[in-house]
Amino acid sequence: MLQVISLLMENKPGALMRVTGLLSQRGYNIESLTVARTLDPTLSRMTIVVDIESRLHAQVIKQMNKLINVLQAQDLTQAPAVLREMVLLRVRTAMESRTAILKEAEIFGARVVDSSVEGFALEATGESEKLEEFIAVMESYGEIEVTRSGMVAVSLESKKLKLSPPVPKPGEAVSV
Amino acid sequence: MSNLMSGAKILLECLTRENVDCLFGYPGGVTLPLYDAIYDHPIRHVLVRHEENASFAASGYARSTGKVGVCCATSGPGATNLVTGLVDAMMDSVPVVALTGQVSSKLIGTDAFQEADTFGITRSCTKHNFLVKDIKELAQMVHEAFYLASTGRPGPVLVDITKDVFQGQSHYTPINEIHLPGYKVFTEGHAGQIRRAAQMIWEAQRPFVYAGGGIIAAAASPELRELVETVDCPAVCTLMGLGGLPGSHPNFLSIPGMHGSYAANMGMYETDLIIALGVRFDDRVTGRLSSFAPHAKVIHVDIDPSEIGKNRAADLPIVGDVKRVLTKLNKILHELKPSMSGKNSDARRAWWRQVREWKTEHPLEPQFSATEIKPQHLMNEINKISNGTAIVCSDVGQHQMWSAQLIRFDEPRLWINSGGLGSMGFGLPAAIGAQMANPGKLVFAVCGDGGFQMALPELATLVNYGLNVKVVVMNNGYLGMVRQWQELFYNNRTCAVELGSFPNVEKLAGAYGFKGRIVESPLDLPGALREAVEEPGPYLLDVRVTPYENVYPMVPAGGAINEMVLGPPQPVAVGD
Ligand SMILES: Cc1ncc(C[n+]2csc(CCOP(=O)(O)OP(=O)(O)O)c2C)c(N)n1
Ligand SMILES: [Mg+2]
């Protein structure tokens, strides 16, 4: 089952490798992965969509949280969240279909980002299923070329980021 | 306060600040500047004979002290040779810092001579790793490596350092702050959960303590003992936890699992409450998970949240440092004792009667013969000499299981073995590390004739440093543990397990310049061991034991723990 994971992590070399390594080591296939800097340039936000048996979802989140570069791992599969994807699509088409294509694009809320005698380049964002329909419709007009961004997600719950207190050395005295 | 220093000197300064007194390593091209700095630095460098053994020795040092063990290797082959030791330390949660040289930063990615992607290769065999390409980051990363290795759930951390960083010059300012915003460790344990645990413990009729390596890592032996005595329940320590509760403690039932004692496994099967402390419900302990402890509720205390519910669901999880949690738990147990402990006293008495019965029905007992040395006899003799106090570093195989069953450990950090990875070749180098860290202690390396030969070059290291390690080879002529499985599960079709030849240890040790002895008669065994212990410096004993002995009890892989095979020749299923 597809799991949607949102990670807040340090923006450092190797951080991405640790996350993908954790998944590939277990033989999980990544469906999509997006990552970019946050407002704080030392951190990145990553959204991963990965195919994992549901009974293992919690364990994967724990393993992600264990990574030293990861500040917070959240499972957004069931949680209240907005999930979006973007598509860039080029369609080659005959002159007589151009108006129809623009109509369809409007219905899907897509924007024209390039126009030439051969056809259009369009940009659309939305939920994945919606975009799949959009792609299918465009395909009916002619040859297309598609690039999808992969999913980005934002949680609608405000989970306070808790930073751990300093870690005691093993065997240090305990006060009760 | 800051002054201009080379990267190599900065590294040594950081090691000094981390109280590192000893470094296990092997030099090479890229680490030349480091060795040039070691030349006039007081740190002790132990030159091993293979980098794998540097990582095992660092592990032996760490396991026997609780301090961080440090190993060091050059780029490329040096670094890749460390990998087995890092995985081993990862599996057993041992605090090790590995320092590796890397080609100069401008050569990275060009397939330069002795370049290997150490950072990538060791991603999955370390708790964390660092690549230092800028001398200004060196001190910070080295201290963070030590911090990560030794705190929380301990583990190996690797720092890969480019040659230009070693050679460069920079102003050095001591680092006082660690910056690891993503490092999450919960040590205290949830107060409400701890209170509920205390109630569950007093409500249980057949409570059972299952303690592991976490007890050793957290230095929680006194707290474990207090718990076991307050509750007065039977307790087992895993292969990683031996010595966590004194082996001579009356409540102690030895190890559970594949080669665990009958009482340990039956107890685990019949209990109604498992108090799991710093353990991970490893498959070698649980056998078939679906029939593991079927009647039990589980209280699971561990510092690593990902261990909780990983294999067996916990009815009451407590994430925290087991020493801190037990301190609080014991206090509440005492508080509740007057009002609650009376409730189940009849059931508890019956439980103890049952456990004692199991103990006497099938005890773990040494076996003797007048004509041959039984492996169990050998372990019994080592046990007599050690009397609960020697450090025993075991290799991997049948001898490891007999050692764990029959040698008593009355303190933590005496029993040292490769538990999770089960890496042959571990015993001798681990003993080197343990002996360096504990010069006053009696240290045995108990090896099989197979594993000993994997670590054989380290005999030279023993001689170089005059290390007082007593190497005891339990020589059965076979890769015994594999042969045992071929006998039992592959219709006795033994293949590639007969070792055929073994060097004459008198000549072998003699060639290295110390004493070795072959022991063939059970009558000579006690004397030979005594001689080995009394002789100053290293000693090599080749003890020829019965070749065909197998380790029992045994829970076949994937079997239920109450269905132990108790001994040859006919497998007998026991239990309900
Ligand atoms: C590096 C490594 N290779 C292979 C194995 C598989 N293995 C486990 S026990 C064993 C036999 C060990 O033989 P020996 O050292 O003679 O010990 P014995 O079992 O006879 O006591 C082998 C080959 C292993 N654990 N580690
Ligand atoms: Mg053998």
Side-chain angles (χ1 to χ4, degrees), chain A residues 18 62 65-66 70 164 170, chain B residues 129 147 150 182 184 304 306 308:
Chain A
R18 295 180 208 282
K62 286 181 183 176
N65 269 318
K66 214 164 126 174
V70 171
S164 305
Chain B
N129 58 7
Y147 182 75
S150 59
K184 302 165 274 294
D304 179 355
S306 76
I308 295 194

Side-chain angles (χ1 to χ4, degrees), chain A residues 10 14 17-18 21-22 25 59 62-63 65-71 163-164 167-171 173-174 176, chain B residues 119 123 127-129 147-148 150-152 181-185 187 217-219 304-306 308 310 323-324 327 331:
Chain A
E10 287 182 273
M17 157 187 89
R18 295 180 208 282
L22 192 155
Q25 177 184 359
Q59 175 65 210
K62 286 181 183 176
Q63 293 292 344
N65 269 318
K66 214 164 126 174
L67 296 174
I68 309 298
N69 292 144
V70 171
L71 278 75
L163 289 186
S164 305
V167 183
K169 293 262 176 190
V174 192
V176 182
Chain B
F119 188 59
R123 192 271 312 161
K127 180 172 172 181
H128 196 66
N129 58 7
Y147 182 75
L148 286 169
S150 59
T151 57
Y183 186 42
K184 302 165 274 294
V185 181
T187 51
D304 179 355
S306 76
I308 295 194
K310 185 181 82 178
K323 185 183 184 76
R324 289 166 183 263
T327 306
K331 192 165 171 261

Side-chain angles (χ1 to χ4, degrees), chain B residues 52 84 395-400 402 421-425 447-452 454 474 476-483 499:
Chain B
E52 176 177 302
T84 306
D395 215 85
V396 170
Q398 291 183 314
H399 61 281
Q400 175 191 21
W402 280 312
L421 190 64
S423 183
M424 284 171 72
C447 305
D449 43 336
F452 168 71
M454 284 199 182
M474 187 201 86
N476 54 8
Y478 282 95
L479 299 174
M481 187 54 95
V482 179
R483 192 214 57 224
L499 284 164

Side-chain angles (χ1 to χ4, degrees), chain B residues 7 37 71 125 223 229 240 257 291 432 458 493 508 519 534 545:
Chain B
C71 57
C125 36
E223 291 76 12
E229 290 176 358
M240 292 311 303
S291 30
I432 289 173
E458 297 307 325
R493 287 156 55 92
L508 178 67
V519 196
E534 278 162 13
V545 299

Side-chain angles (χ1 to χ4, degrees), chain B residues 67-187:
Chain B
K67 297 199 311 193
V68 177
V70 186
C71 57
C72 161
T74 192
S75 67
T80 56
N81 276 345
L82 289 180
V83 166
T84 306
L86 293 176
V87 182
D88 175 75
M90 188 70 179
M91 291 288 262
D92 288 348
S93 309
V94 183
V96 166
V97 167
L99 306 166
T100 51
Q102 182 54 275
V103 299
S104 275
S105 47
K106 55 180 188 308
L107 288 178
I108 287 183
T110 65
D111 303 324
F113 178 64
Q114 294 195 330
E115 180 184 358
D117 173 18
T118 306
F119 188 59
I121 290 170
T122 59
R123 192 271 312 161
S124 65
C125 36
T126 52
K127 180 172 172 181
H128 196 66
N129 58 7
F130 296 91
L131 170 60
V132 192
K133 290 167 73 182
D134 177 353
I135 189 169
K136 292 196 192 67
E137 294 184 330
L138 177 63
Q140 184 73 31
M141 286 180 169
V142 170
H143 287 302
E144 285 175 358
F146 275 85
Y147 182 75
L148 286 169
S150 59
T151 57
R153 178 177 184 169
V157 181
L158 179 136
V159 189
D160 198 27
I161 304 165
T162 57
K163 188 168 187 179
D164 49 316
V165 168
F166 281 131
Q167 286 172 321
Q169 299 276 325
S170 176
H171 286 286
Y172 168 72
T173 354
I175 301 294
N176 293 314
E177 227 169 278
I178 297 293
H179 182 70
L180 294 164
Y183 186 42
K184 302 165 274 294
V185 181
F186 307 96
T187 51

Side-chain angles (χ1 to χ4, degrees), chain B residues 378-389:
Chain B
L378 168 61
M379 300 317 165
N380 190 52
E381 290 302 324
I382 294 176
N383 183 46
K384 281 202 239 163
I385 289 189
S386 159
N387 195 22
T389 63

